[in-house]
Amino acid sequence: MAEKVVLAYSGGLDTSVAIRWIGENYHMDVITLTVDVGGERDMPAVRQKALKVGAVKALAVDAKELFVKYFVFPALQADAIYEGQYPLATALGRPLIAKLLVDTAADEGASAVAHGCTGKGNDQVRFDVSVAALAPNLKIIAPAREWGMSREEEIAYAQRYGIPVPVTVASPYSIDENLWGRSIECGVLEDPWAEPPEEVFAWTKSPKDAPDEPSYVEIGFERGIPVSIDGRELEGVALIQELNELAGRHGVGRIDHVENRLVGIKSREVYEAPAATVLLKAHKALEAMTLSKDQLRFKEKVATEYADLIYNGLWFTALHQDLAAYVQSSQRHVMGTVRMKLLKGNASVVGRKSPKSLYSFGLATYDKGDIFDQSASVGFIHIWGLPAKTQAQVQGLEELEKEVK
Ligand code: ARG
């Protein structure tokens, strides 16, 4: 009996060709696994296609809830954004798909897993490192990294074996999408000077065509997790879907990023992430109310580490567990409501309230009700400024003074 391999199958050209190619080159039986993390996809049609192209079995799982609960919301709690721009949608989906591949391989008695990533991107790293951490004995096959076919040769190969070449192949773009966002690269986007054409966007209206009237939306949080919209309690998946729709209509969440891939290449990617953009801003606004200055400063460092770790494929590591424990602890008082205004491509925080708010009206106000003792500032400043005063007296500030003159 032939050995079995579980292939992460999207239904696109690369992974369809991979079914046939693995059979031919590895003589293994291919079981496909299609994971629904919130991309638009006709699941029955995708399974049919896998079988038609030569898979011995075609499986599909709806992993949207798992994705939100174990990947998206923890990343939101961490404020994880790569290089200040990318909310990490694709990067968060990969370790989940890897985990499901590994589990399926165990269930099916497969000796290998496979994915459709090329050898130039981050996704191969995320799959391979995750699989190596979860199941070190599984072999990993990456046909698109191994076959050395050009796009034209791949299409010719598909045609030779009756593998349907979808019309989208005519589109020059490479697209990945899940609930947390849509990633678009290639085509004219490879010229970093070229403005992204309107056709690359699918979830967001052009801000110029978005409504002139703003929408206001109130997002309720418990422990840093969004739980309601305008007072209506919602499960995570539904909440994200609703915000993608609403914020997308206002043109919110378009991101144009020249990013640093782990494999040393700078690449230009365009993202659409309406819900992520709104939620990350709202979450930060609530943290600003409920965390101390020192917690906020430290958490920013953790956020950078956390984002890098997700981007770099290190989800299944001890460092991640450690950082995640810190993040969880930091969220225990992050509760309350944030009011967002969506208008013409912008999502702005316009209000926030929390039962655990550290904002004190009495301390902040310049009006009646001021409880801050201004005379106490004198002693505080005396001590605060002591090192500056001492050093200036002993060592002088000639250099600085020269510059000012
Ligand atoms: N650059 C993003 C990342 O590394 C997205 C990669 C997938 N993008 C795509 N258009 N297929 O996470």
Side-chain angles (χ1 to χ4, degrees):
M1 224 177 67
E3 279 185 60
K4 292 185 235 171
V5 52
V6 182
L7 166 70
Y9 183 65
S10 70
L13 181 66
D14 289 345
T15 49
S16 296
V17 167
I19 295 175
R20 168 83 209 191
W21 188 89
I22 290 172
E24 215 168 41
N25 291 273
Y26 283 86
H27 313 290
M28 294 174 105
D29 284 344
V30 178
I31 297 167
T32 59
L33 175 69
T34 305
V35 180
D36 179 2
V37 276
E40 297 286 293
R41 222 176 258 163
D42 177 352
M43 280 295 182
V46 170
R47 293 189 50 238
Q48 280 288 268
K49 185 172 176 183
L51 296 170
K52 182 171 167 282
V53 174
V56 297
K57 196 170 184 178
L59 304 167
V61 281
D62 178 351
K64 293 197 287 291
E65 266 176 50
L66 286 176
F67 183 49
V68 169
K69 182 168 179 200
Y70 294 106
F71 294 83
V72 171
F73 282 170
L76 171 63
Q77 290 175 305
D79 300 309
I81 302 178
Y82 184 62
E83 293 181 339
Q85 295 223 72
Y86 166 39
L88 293 161
T90 299
L92 284 163
R94 299 318 188 187
L96 171 56
I97 297 170
K99 167 83 171 105
L100 295 170
L101 280 177
V102 165
D103 290 350
T104 307
D107 291 348
E108 300 289 336
S111 58
V113 294
H115 57 71
C117 305
T118 72
K120 287 181 74 169
N122 298 310
D123 288 328
Q124 55 168 345
V125 181
R126 298 166 184 152
F127 276 119
D128 290 9
V129 173
S130 298
V131 170
L134 294 168
N137 293 326
L138 277 179
K139 283 196 290 281
I140 301 169
I141 301 172
R145 184 168 64 191
E146 299 168 24
W147 64 38
M149 287 191 277
S150 69
R151 196 71 178 162
E152 291 70 36
E153 288 163 345
E154 188 187 345
I155 291 171
Y157 182 97
Q159 282 162 346
R160 183 158 6 114
Y161 294 110
I163 299 166
V165 179
V167 266
T168 52
V169 165
S171 148
Y173 304 111
S174 158
I175 297 165
D176 179 66
E177 56 182 38
N178 63 45
L179 279 170
W180 204 227
R182 191 165 170 269
S183 310
I184 312 110
E185 57 184 14
C186 303
V188 66
L189 299 176
E190 287 178 354
D191 174 2
W193 178 251
E195 180 175 352
E198 211 38 50
E199 66 181 11
V200 307
F201 299 106
W203 291 8
T204 53
K205 259 227 154 80
S206 169
K208 82 171 163 36
D209 301 328
D212 293 322
E213 288 304 310
S215 288
Y216 288 89
V217 60
E218 292 185 12
I219 301 161
F221 286 88
E222 296 282 351
R223 289 181 170 265
I225 290 173
V227 293
S228 66
I229 292 179
D230 295 333
R232 271 178 300 122
E233 275 183 30
L234 284 166
E235 290 298 327
V237 173
L239 184 142
I240 292 173
Q241 284 169 335
E242 191 170 323
L243 280 179
N244 270 332
E245 217 275 311
L246 176 68
R249 238 189 297 139
H250 284 279
V252 167
R254 294 185 171 190
I255 298 159
D256 181 347
H257 188 189
V258 173
E259 70 192 39
N260 291 291
R261 283 191 196 160
L262 182 60
V263 294
I265 303 169
K266 280 193 194 293
S267 80
R268 198 278 193 96
E269 187 119 21
V270 169
Y271 299 103
E272 292 186 284
T277 299
V278 172
L279 289 172
L280 283 159
K281 273 199 181 176
H283 179 257
K284 277 198 154 193
L286 195 56
E287 287 188 325
M289 292 283 277
T290 53
L291 298 184
S292 70
K293 176 179 173 178
D294 292 330
Q295 283 180 300
L296 288 166
R297 281 172 62 97
F298 188 71
K299 192 157 183 294
E300 235 169 76
K301 297 185 199 176
V302 173
T304 307
E305 290 297 324
Y306 207 109
D308 284 358
L309 171 158
I310 293 169
Y311 190 86
N312 294 336
L314 301 176
W315 184 268
F316 295 108
T317 59
L319 175 62
H320 175 224
Q321 291 180 315
D322 298 343
L323 294 182
Y326 169 76
V327 169
Q328 284 312 308
S329 169
S330 75
Q331 299 298 289
R332 62 202 184 278
H333 301 303
V334 182
M335 61 177 77
T337 305
V338 180
R339 190 158 189 256
M340 303 291 295
K341 178 180 179 173
L342 312 176
L343 179 63
K344 292 274 182 201
N346 292 310
S348 1
V349 177
V350 293
R352 61 294 258 170
K353 61 182 178 185
S354 167
K356 296 294 176 105
S357 173
L358 302 174
Y359 177 90
S360 159
F361 180 81
L363 289 176
T365 186
Y366 285 94
D367 295 336
K368 204 157 46 69
D370 183 2
I371 56 168
F372 187 85
D373 176 2
Q374 299 196 24
S375 70
S377 289
V378 179
F380 165 73
I381 294 166
H382 179 71
I383 292 174
W384 172 251
L386 205 50
K389 184 171 152 190
T390 307
Q391 189 163 26
Q393 278 172 343
V394 175
Q395 299 174 351
L397 291 169
E398 300 91 37
E399 295 303 313
L400 239 184
E401 278 166 7
K402 253 182 257 155
E403 262 173 51
V404 175
K405 266 179 217 148

